[in-house]
Amino acid sequence: MTEKFAYIETFGCQMNERDSEIMGQLLSDDDFAPTEDIYQADVIIVNTCSIRAKAEQKAYSLLGRLKRMKQKNPSLVVAVAGCVAQQDGKKLLKRMPFVDLVIGPQNIYNLPGLIKNLPEKTGKNGNIKVWDRLSPAFEIPPFLPAVDKGSPFKRFVTIMQGCNNYCTYCVVPYTRGREISRKFEDIVHEIEHLANSGIREVTLLGQNVNSYGRDRSGKQHHTFPDLLQAVAGIDGIKRIRFTTSHPKDLSEELMRCFAELDKLCPHFHLPVQSGSNKILKKMNRKYTVESYLDKVRKLKEYRPDIALTTDIIVGFPGETDKDFGATMELLDTVRFHGAFSFKYSDRPHAKSSSLIEKVPEEEKSVRLNQLQARQEEITQERHREYIGSIMEVMVEGESKSAAGQWSGRTTTNHIVNFDSPAILIPGQTAAFSAMVNWCRPSMSGASKS
Ligand code: 5AD
Ligand code: SF4
């Protein structure tokens, strides 16, 4: 039998990256070897993101290329997964009729079966090409396939899916459904298994991890701090990270974990989105600048060395110069270690799309540039504060950007390059002395999307 290959292109967040790992492993268990060479592939999966218009355009432009590949090689299977698949469903198939399968995030677990039963393959016309069911009764499977490729020492672990917050700009509740927590025991079991196979760092993933542990009716069975404590108790795991958090659900109990659990890395990504209370209200964020700042202050009391990063949207409908000025001011008040910043874009289903006071594109660009320039200065100032200190790095491997050097990550999530006379093993920890220009930029997103 000739070997068959699967190629996966992933756009978007860590949730999507983890879903791609799962799909890759399911396909590999079904005798499709992974390949990095798109031209070698028998199956191509495009795992899409629709968080902003630009992300969606990227997926459609790749699909345009795949159309030409498919014309040359009709037996090639092209599947579209992820958030655009969920959002556009049948519409996607209409626009891109050459696509063989459209699979939303809740439907990836039977991927090999769906590929085997493609209508063309079986000759049956009734077979379905679009799998975009978002079931209110969806449960995350107890055993998600581990990956045998990828990092030998760190993994993403899904703990929740979906979101109930309905921020007015956001498409996620419509692409990933209502919030559901994975079973506590399943998560702990998976991480024990990972630790036994050499994994040293886990990142717990969910759209809003702070509200972990509720069932469909809203009843709280476990809290996120309970879960962190259980994971911290697993031998072999040295570092725990999580993403992403909603400021309104950030409890004092969680803050205390940063003081009490040594394995919990002192880095917190806490998306603020805007520094104007008027805009936060229009975004339906359910916190104010003052309450956000209060939580930041408390977090620093519990863990003074915590590195804070954030997400910011500029040009939300109705954002005036004054509102934007308040966001700029917030940057200087908090002095985030890094910020990912984006121009607001209308999304299907999102409530803010129907707001009429749109900010012109040129104005959004001006604001984004201004914000990113100031944040870059602050990020550099933050970097300089570490000079002279010794930090623990977990070795990633040989540096890709600096020949002869090693690359690693600090607990604060900074990527660093360093010299070592000894051969280092990925996953091992080493002491690192921060000197001038010690950090490779990793914590700010210069996104123009
Ligand atoms: N327009 C611009 N940025 C957005 N984000 C989410 N939705 C939109 C949108 N419609 C940003 C938010 C979020 C990050 C993942 O993407 O800042 O935290
Ligand atoms: Fe993009 Fe959001 Fe979907 Fe992640 S969950 S892939 S960020 S739209």
Side-chain angles (χ1 to χ4, degrees):
M1 201 176 83
T2 53
E3 197 169 19
K4 288 202 257 163
F5 293 95
Y7 174 93
I8 305 183
E9 182 75 42
T10 310
F11 299 97
C13 64
Q14 288 102 333
M15 294 294 261
N16 257 19
E17 279 181 45
R18 178 67 187 123
D19 284 351
S20 285
E21 286 180 359
I22 292 170
M23 290 190 282
Q25 189 64 40
L26 289 169
L27 287 171
S28 148
D29 294 346
D30 204 47
D31 295 329
F32 284 95
T35 178
E36 301 281 306
D37 176 6
I38 198 166
Y39 295 102
Q40 189 187 32
D42 301 279
V43 171
I44 297 175
I45 315 279
V46 185
N47 198 5
T48 58
C49 170
S50 70
I51 195 88
R52 287 171 294 276
K54 192 97 169 254
E56 188 180 314
Q57 281 153 16
K58 275 191 203 159
Y60 274 111
S61 101
L62 173 60
L63 286 171
R65 266 176 59 205
L66 295 185
K67 180 179 177 185
R68 292 189 288 281
M69 278 177 71
K70 178 107 182 177
Q71 277 161 350
K72 287 192 195 130
N73 173 14
S75 67
L76 177 69
V77 172
V78 175
V80 184
C83 293
V84 179
Q86 185 66 45
Q87 174 193 289
D88 288 356
K90 289 199 180 75
K91 251 182 20 212
L92 191 153
L93 202 58
K94 222 171 172 183
R95 183 167 162 192
M96 303 266 161
F98 69 92
V99 166
D100 298 287
L101 264 182
V102 180
I103 347 163
Q106 281 187 4
N107 296 270
I108 59 172
Y109 303 99
N110 184 27
L111 180 62
L114 298 182
I115 288 178
K116 264 196 205 105
N117 288 314
L118 289 177
E120 293 76 18
K121 293 209 159 168
T122 57
K124 289 183 215 149
N125 291 327
N127 286 17
I128 301 166
K129 283 190 170 189
V130 179
W131 295 83
D132 58 356
R133 214 167 107 84
L134 266 187
S135 165
F138 172 74
E139 296 277 351
I140 305 173
F143 299 107
L144 296 178
V147 262
D148 57 16
K149 297 273 182 303
S151 169
F153 68 90
K154 59 178 188 181
R155 282 293 148 75
F156 294 132
V157 176
T158 304
I159 67 161
M160 323 171 61
Q161 287 238 5
C163 184
N164 288 352
N165 284 323
Y166 293 95
C167 301
T168 54
Y169 52 79
C170 191
V171 73
V172 170
Y174 310 99
T175 60
R176 292 204 170 249
R178 304 303 306 265
E179 180 183 296
I180 178 72
S181 291
R182 195 172 166 207
K183 284 207 178 70
F184 192 89
E185 298 72 26
D186 293 347
I187 299 168
V188 172
H189 192 196
E190 180 172 314
I191 299 175
E192 282 169 347
H193 181 78
L194 290 173
N196 285 335
S197 62
I199 295 298
R200 297 289 162 256
E201 174 179 313
V202 286
T203 303
L204 308 179
L205 291 182
Q207 244 77 41
N208 181 19
V209 294
N210 295 334
S211 63
Y212 173 79
R214 284 189 284 221
D215 66 17
R216 294 266 176 219
S217 68
K219 189 164 168 249
Q220 190 97 37
H221 296 267
H222 296 279
T223 64
F224 185 54
D226 292 343
L227 182 64
L228 286 175
Q229 250 157 26
V231 177
I234 298 174
D235 283 343
I237 297 297
K238 288 191 188 164
R239 287 184 172 187
I240 305 168
R241 303 183 186 278
F242 59 81
T243 194
T244 199
S245 304
H246 194 304
K248 83 172 160 52
D249 298 315
L250 168 52
S251 65
E252 188 128 3
E253 203 190 348
L254 175 57
M255 297 185 198
R256 205 172 304 121
C257 291
F258 280 96
E260 290 172 356
L261 303 176
D262 290 342
K263 294 181 182 181
L264 186 58
C265 290
H267 168 223
F268 206 126
H269 184 67
L270 196 59
V272 67
Q273 311 299 0
S274 170
S276 152
N277 282 336
K278 181 191 98 191
I279 296 296
L280 287 175
K281 195 151 199 227
K282 284 186 164 208
M283 287 176 164
N284 192 30
R285 291 290 284 175
K286 302 194 182 96
Y287 55 84
T288 60
V289 175
E290 293 71 28
S291 66
Y292 182 91
L293 290 175
D294 199 44
K295 291 196 172 176
V296 166
R297 185 185 52 75
K298 276 201 194 129
L299 251 179
K300 287 188 178 164
E301 272 170 27
Y302 283 109
R303 190 76 202 235
D305 62 339
I306 202 156
L308 282 178
T309 55
T310 200
D311 289 343
I312 291 173
I313 298 176
V314 300
F316 186 85
E319 185 188 76
T320 60
D321 281 344
K322 192 164 163 240
D323 296 317
F324 176 66
T327 302
M328 291 295 288
E329 208 172 290
L330 184 78
L331 291 191
D332 282 305
T333 309
V334 181
R335 300 183 63 246
F336 293 104
H337 284 73
F340 296 90
S341 44
F342 314 99
K343 284 193 268 183
Y344 168 80
S345 85
D346 278 342
R347 304 311 298 133
H349 311 290
K351 256 188 162 174
S352 59
S353 303
S354 60
L355 296 174
I356 46 170
E357 308 160 86
K358 302 280 189 245
V359 175
E361 275 309 303
E362 313 81 71
E363 183 56 35
K364 284 188 213 167
S365 300
V366 169
R367 289 181 189 174
L368 187 69
N369 287 339
Q370 195 182 333
L371 184 132
Q372 289 184 341
R374 179 64 196 126
Q375 180 55 46
E376 186 49 31
E377 288 168 0
I378 296 171
T379 300
Q380 291 304 327
E381 284 163 24
R382 283 295 198 190
H383 287 172
R384 282 197 289 275
E385 288 169 12
Y386 289 101
I387 292 177
S389 65
I390 306 284
M391 304 167 91
E392 181 203 273
V393 284
M394 192 172 272
V395 177
E396 298 264 335
E398 287 177 43
S399 168
K400 291 190 187 104
S401 61
Q405 284 198 312
W406 295 88
S407 180
R409 246 175 223 270
T410 63
T411 53
T412 48
N413 211 28
H414 291 87
I415 300 177
V416 300
N417 283 342
F418 58 101
D419 297 309
S420 164
I423 301 284
L424 301 174
I425 303 164
Q428 105 179 60
T429 46
F432 168 78
S433 165
M435 287 180 283
V436 180
N437 294 337
W438 63 280
C439 179
R440 275 171 45 203
S442 66
M443 299 180 96
S444 294
S447 170
K448 303 277 178 194
S449 59

